[in-house]
Structure formats: structure tokens, C-alpha cells
Amino acid sequence: MKTLTLSSVEQCITAAYHQYLTGKPGTITCTTIEDGTVNIQCMISGTRFNCGFAGYQMNGDDTDHLRTWCITHPGDGWSFGFRGISPSHPDSLNITLIDKTPLMFNFHVYLG
């Protein structure tokens, strides 16, 4: 798996968030400043708008920085939720947003 910089992960989450606002699933492309083009898969599963970037991960040392970023993003009175690692998810994080649309935004980030 390729490891993305924190900045690239933030850019991908933001791109997926904008797709979430349209309510349309599918694969989108995010051109990151540091890591080039990243494909992001977006799918609707029940009441969730699930997103992620298959084949990519984030350095686990960036976890606290991503958690802090979530506090002020996406902005306009909204902030992302953050689910860190746990015994049932020891190698992944979820960035979430509820009640902005009828669907819950749920971005999966694997750690390396």
C-alpha cells in the first residue's frame, strides 16, 4: 500500500465530502499536491455514504494531526467526527459527519 502524506489525506477527505454533498456514489479522482492522483471510491450502503481510497494508507504518526484537522473541517459551522483505532479496528480510522444530509458521511483511512 502506498502511504499518503497528511495533506493528501485531508485533500482526499475534502474531495469525498464534496461528492457526498451531491449524494452521488462512484469513483472520483483527487489530484493531491504531494502525492499526485488518488482515486476515491464512494458508495451508498443503507444510510451511509462510505468512502475510501483502496491501495492507500496514512502514516499512523499523523493520527493526532488528522483528529485536530477534523475539528475545523469541513467548516461553515460543521466539524467532522473522528473514530480512532480500537480493538475491533486496530489499523483504521473513520472520519464521519451526520445530519448534514440524510446520509452519514463515513471516510475510511487505513494506517501504516
Side-chain angles (χ1 to χ4, degrees):
M1 252 195 255
K2 180 177 179 177
T3 300
L4 299 175
T5 64
L6 175 62
S7 176
S8 293
V9 171
E10 292 167 352
Q11 291 168 48
C12 289
I13 293 168
T14 300
Y17 168 74
H18 288 291
Q19 185 70 16
Y20 156 77
L21 293 177
T22 71
K24 296 177 185 173
T27 299
I28 61 171
T29 300
C30 177
T31 303
T32 67
I33 295 169
E34 297 170 335
D35 291 304
T37 301
V38 176
N39 288 327
I40 303 164
Q41 298 76 35
C42 303
M43 62 181 293
I44 296 172
S45 178
T47 59
R48 291 184 180 192
F49 191 88
N50 288 316
C51 316
F53 34 48
Y56 295 93
Q57 63 187 5
M58 182 183 82
N59 186 318
D61 293 341
D62 289 329
T63 298
D64 288 338
H65 298 289
L66 184 60
R67 179 181 292 126
T68 300
W69 178 83
C70 287
I71 295 168
T72 58
H73 291 83
D76 198 25
W78 292 89
S79 62
F80 288 123
F82 182 91
R83 186 209 37 90
I85 61 171
S86 67
S88 61
H89 297 95
D91 62 350
S92 67
L93 311 170
N94 287 78
I95 308 307
T96 61
L97 186 67
I98 58 173
D99 295 334
K100 176 90 177 181
T101 77
L103 298 172
M104 175 187 147
F105 178 79
N106 188 32
F107 196 101
H108 304 266
V109 179
Y110 285 92
L111 302 175

